[in-house]
Amino acid sequence: MLDSEDSAPQGIELRHLRYFVAVAEAGTFTHAAERMYVGQPTLSQQIRRLEEFVGTPLLQRRREGVRLTEAGIVLLEESRAVLSLVDHGVSRTRRAAGLGRSRLRFIVQPHLPSTLAAEAVSRLRSAAADVDVTWLETALDAEFSSILDRRADAALGWMSPADRTLPDPLDVMEIGVFEPEVWVPEQHPAAAHGGIGLDDLARMDIIHGPRRLDPGTYDAWRTVLRTGNPRFDFTDPPFRQSLPMTLAFAATGSRPSAVLTGPCHRVGSEARPATDAACHQMVPVRVERSRLSATAGLVWSADLPREVQQMLFDTAENIAV
């Protein structure tokens, strides 16, 4: 029997752990509150109560977001394990009792090309007539740990450009390779012929990110650019929800700046024309002989029922973007 010091403090509920995981993954209370459909004051209050129950701070609150303390890192890992076991246990119990339909928790990574995300969601909804789908919009790491940890069942997102093999028990269906768009000042030589080389690009200030939205692609692209400039690093966008505002920020810099989008054009397709009137003397160009690309993939747990896996495979196979 555990001593009282080794047992969970009285008062901790599963919702406290879910709130804590949401804040840790979102990076801010604001985004976590939106994800959990609760008010930010309520979320902050519940996290404070959790810290009181545990007896130590779990988060460092900063202007740019939150950072886990050492104790918070431990609790995050344990919370994910607990919640995964509970969700998996409830699912198995329902299946054993013959209750209802299969369930699928499906992640759509933020900031995917709109055509890709829209077609994938549309096709999956059409195919999932006999499956209860819970839609989640959250960032994914390169290992798809949210599926490995059983916090989700499947996901549409970017696979690691450096290593497309995924650990068991994950299955994947590749959809296509996409490349970014680069915006440069209209007086830059690259603007005249619509392309820029990696070496020239690496000598500019490049606004891209932030890293937490897609660490796999971010790290791979940074490594590529550092081959031409070992000191290269990205600058985080000050307004990640607004490309025109980011373009305005880049256009007024003290030295030549560029804006690098996430993967948005399928390799070999025509780039979209610049139709936004608020381009602020910035123009889109392609990266010549680009090694900046990412593979979109639909990834799922091999533990899913066979009919659900077949549905996901068929969905991915029929996506045309």
Side-chain angles (χ1 to χ4, degrees), residues 157-172:
W158 301 118
M159 300 169 60
S160 171
D163 183 4
R164 296 179 186 175
T165 61
L166 294 174
D168 291 334
L170 299 183
D171 283 334
V172 61

Side-chain angles (χ1 to χ4, degrees), residues 177-194:
V177 182
F178 293 74
E179 59 188 355
E181 191 168 63
V182 181
W183 292 75
V184 299
E186 62 181 13
Q187 68 272 21
H188 193 281
H193 61 275

